[in-house]
């Protein structure tokens, strides 16, 4: 079976009173990843508005599997690090991009 690389955004509720995502959130998530998630890389956009976002690059066979893996990984991370419970997940999904956002010239 062939796996593809997916970028899944973990989008969080706006933090109360402007408190930021923990500075070590990428490390905490990666420390909970298993081979099943095939996590390749994490990028954190803590200052994204209106909601902070953590991007997970995962190798999965399809989009649904990637989104499910990201959700499982986040839930496992919160179970292991209860202090992250204040970071309320709004959604775990692959962002949809318009072609003109990717290419400057028509493909």
């Amino acid at each position: 079976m062939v796996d593809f690389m997916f970028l899944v955004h973990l989008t969080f509720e706006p933090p109360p009173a402007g408190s930021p995502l923990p500075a070590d959130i990428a490390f905490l998530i990666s420390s909970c990843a298993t081979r099943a998630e095939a996590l390749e890389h994490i990028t954190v956009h803590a200052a994204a508005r209106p909601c902070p976002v953590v991007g997970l690059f995962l190798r999965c066979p399809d989009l649904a599997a990637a989104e499910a893996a990201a959700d499982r990984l986040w839930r496992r991370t919160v179970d292991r690090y209860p202090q992250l419970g204040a970071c309320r997940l709004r959604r775990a999904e692959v962002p949809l991009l318009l072609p003109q956002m990717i290419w400057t010239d028509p493909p």
Side-chain angles (χ1 to χ4, degrees):
M1 178 172 19
V2 176
D3 283 343
F4 300 95
M5 180 73 70
F6 289 93
L7 167 60
V8 180
H9 280 176
L10 299 178
T11 303
F12 297 93
E13 293 292 333
S19 59
L21 291 176
D24 60 348
I25 194 164
F27 170 79
L28 298 176
I29 293 170
S30 65
S31 73
C32 295
T34 67
R35 288 184 66 169
E37 283 92 33
L39 177 66
E40 294 285 331
H41 179 71
I42 298 175
T43 183
V44 178
H45 303 282
R49 297 289 177 246
C51 302
V53 173
V54 174
L56 305 179
F57 290 84
L58 306 166
R59 290 198 176 277
C60 293
D62 58 54
L63 186 142
E67 291 176 340
D71 186 69
R72 273 193 318 274
L73 176 54
W74 175 250
R75 293 183 193 292
R76 185 180 318 113
T77 302
V78 172
D79 286 345
R80 188 175 295 167
Y81 300 104
Q83 71 270 24
L84 293 177
C87 301
R88 300 195 51 201
L89 185 65
R90 180 178 276 188
R91 61 184 167 266
E93 64 186 12
V94 172
L96 300 178
L97 302 173
L98 298 172
Q100 57 267 36
M101 295 173 71
I102 301 170
W103 297 288
T104 55
D105 295 325

